[in-house]
């Protein structure tokens, strides 16, 4: 159902292909990748197409979701070296740093009461020098902006044959999320010691940026 909901968003699958392209184009041999909020395993699926990727560490505080990611990896065969960790960035052993950190569609679930900041700081602290963060979130300035996009979303869902029930699930869920504006996102990145996010993907209320550790 989660994937069906995602299919209703025009081009969202391309965001995962971009992750593959960014990892492939990352300088350095066999980059070590941290997948934060591995959930259903979509990033792992995307990384399966990279012939340059090194070890992958996939984390998620939900053991159930991580099991889904594990099943996804298992179905891909033995080509990827994936370590699964139930938890957050705090549960990764001290001193481990990653060439690429992905954070796709996780932070919009976290409250802006210091939790989003702590999350971003955790990502920043896990980036190796020269490492790249790929971060995607639901993002809009005001709920009116979301409302204006809804008819396009529903029409697109219909065109691609997504059921009305699946399409509605997304519409019911988004207004309940602690979504923040792009301006607030940029301020949190700066506070957490990350460089200005660079937008690489946008469709309806979904955005994806790259960033790295800001110089101290
Ligand atoms: C909407 S899913 C996204 C899954 C996947 N990244 C994708 O793009 O399909 C969000 C995932 O983030 C996980 N999550 C929630 N809070 C988290 C945190 N603080 N750190 C890491 N993952 C978290 C949830 O358990 C869930 O599996």
């Amino acid at each position: 159902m989660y994937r069906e909901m995602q299919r209703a968003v025009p081009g969202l699958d391309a965001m995962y292909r971009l992750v593959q392209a960014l990892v492939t184009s990352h300088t350095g041999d066999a980059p070590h990748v941290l997948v934060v909020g591995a959930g259903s395993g979509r990033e792992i699926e995307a990384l399966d197409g990279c012939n340059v990727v090194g070890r992958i560490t996939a984390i998620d505080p939900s053991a159930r979701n991580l099991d889904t990611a594990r099943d996804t990896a298992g179905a891909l065969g033995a080509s990827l070296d994936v370590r699964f960790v139930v938890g957050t960035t705090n549960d990764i052993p001290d001193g481990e740093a990653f060439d690429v950190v992905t954070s796709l569609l996780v932070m919009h679930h976290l409250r802006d009461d210091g939790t989003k900041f702590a999350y971003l700081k955790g990502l920043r602290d896990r980036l190796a020098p020269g490492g790249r963060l790929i971060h995607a979130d639901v993002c809009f300035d005001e709920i009116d902006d979301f409302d204006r996009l809804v008819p396009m979303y529903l029409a697109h869902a219909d065109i691609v044959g997504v059921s009305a029930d699946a399409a509605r699930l997304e519409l019911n869920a988004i207004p309940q999320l602690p979504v923040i504006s792009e301006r607030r996102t940029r301020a949190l990145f700066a506070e957490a010691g990350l460089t200005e996010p660079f937008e690489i993907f946008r469709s309806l209320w979904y955005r994806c940026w790259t960033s790295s550790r800001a110089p101290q």
Side-chain angles (χ1 to χ4, degrees):
M1 185 56 98
Y2 176 66
R3 290 191 185 218
E4 191 63 359
M5 282 162 68
Q6 289 201 339
R7 206 161 65 79
V9 179
L12 196 59
D13 53 335
M15 188 175 82
Y16 295 88
R17 283 200 299 281
L18 266 177
V19 169
Q20 181 184 344
L22 284 163
V23 172
T24 303
S25 65
H26 189 78
T27 50
D29 285 339
H32 191 177
V33 180
L34 174 64
V35 178
V36 178
S40 66
R42 287 207 69 174
E43 294 90 330
I44 295 172
E45 228 169 40
L47 292 171
D48 189 48
C50 303
N51 48 13
V52 296
V53 76
R55 190 171 198 210
I56 298 170
T57 298
I59 62 171
D60 201 300
S62 159
R64 190 160 160 246
N65 290 1
L66 204 61
D67 279 346
T68 310
R70 197 180 276 111
D71 289 347
T72 301
L76 294 170
S79 60
L80 289 173
D81 175 11
V82 190
R83 168 179 64 157
F84 294 92
V85 177
V86 177
T88 68
T89 49
N90 294 333
D91 299 297
I92 293 173
D94 281 347
E96 273 195 46
F98 299 82
D99 304 303
V100 178
V101 175
T102 70
S103 153
L104 303 190
L105 311 182
V106 178
M107 195 176 81
H108 56 232
H109 292 286
L110 308 178
R111 287 213 292 270
D112 191 13
D113 56 359
T115 311
K116 284 186 198 283
F117 166 76
Y119 172 79
L120 285 175
K121 182 80 173 43
L123 302 182
R124 186 247 176 232
D125 292 346
R126 291 298 166 188
L127 277 172
R132 173 181 273 162
L133 170 64
I134 309 170
H135 175 80
D137 235 0
V138 167
C139 176
F140 47 77
D141 290 345
E142 292 169 17
I143 196 72
D144 284 359
D145 295 340
F146 169 73
D147 290 341
R148 286 176 67 183
L149 294 167
V150 166
M152 283 171 260
Y153 163 83
L154 286 173
H156 178 266
D158 191 41
I159 289 166
V160 296
V162 170
S163 72
D165 284 351
R168 277 279 152 209
L169 278 180
E170 166 97 356
L171 293 184
N172 295 339
I174 300 280
Q176 312 303 322
L177 296 174
V179 171
I180 55 171
S181 65
E182 178 172 8
R183 192 174 163 162
R184 178 71 185 138
T185 303
R186 289 182 183 277
L188 282 172
F189 265 60
E191 269 177 57
L194 289 160
T195 59
E196 184 81 5
F198 178 67
E199 189 176 87
I200 55 163
F201 175 87
R202 182 170 183 172
S203 177
L204 300 179
W205 39 85
Y206 286 87
R207 310 243 195 129
C208 185
W209 302 267
T210 61
S211 178
S212 51
R213 288 171 79 122
Q216 294 198 318

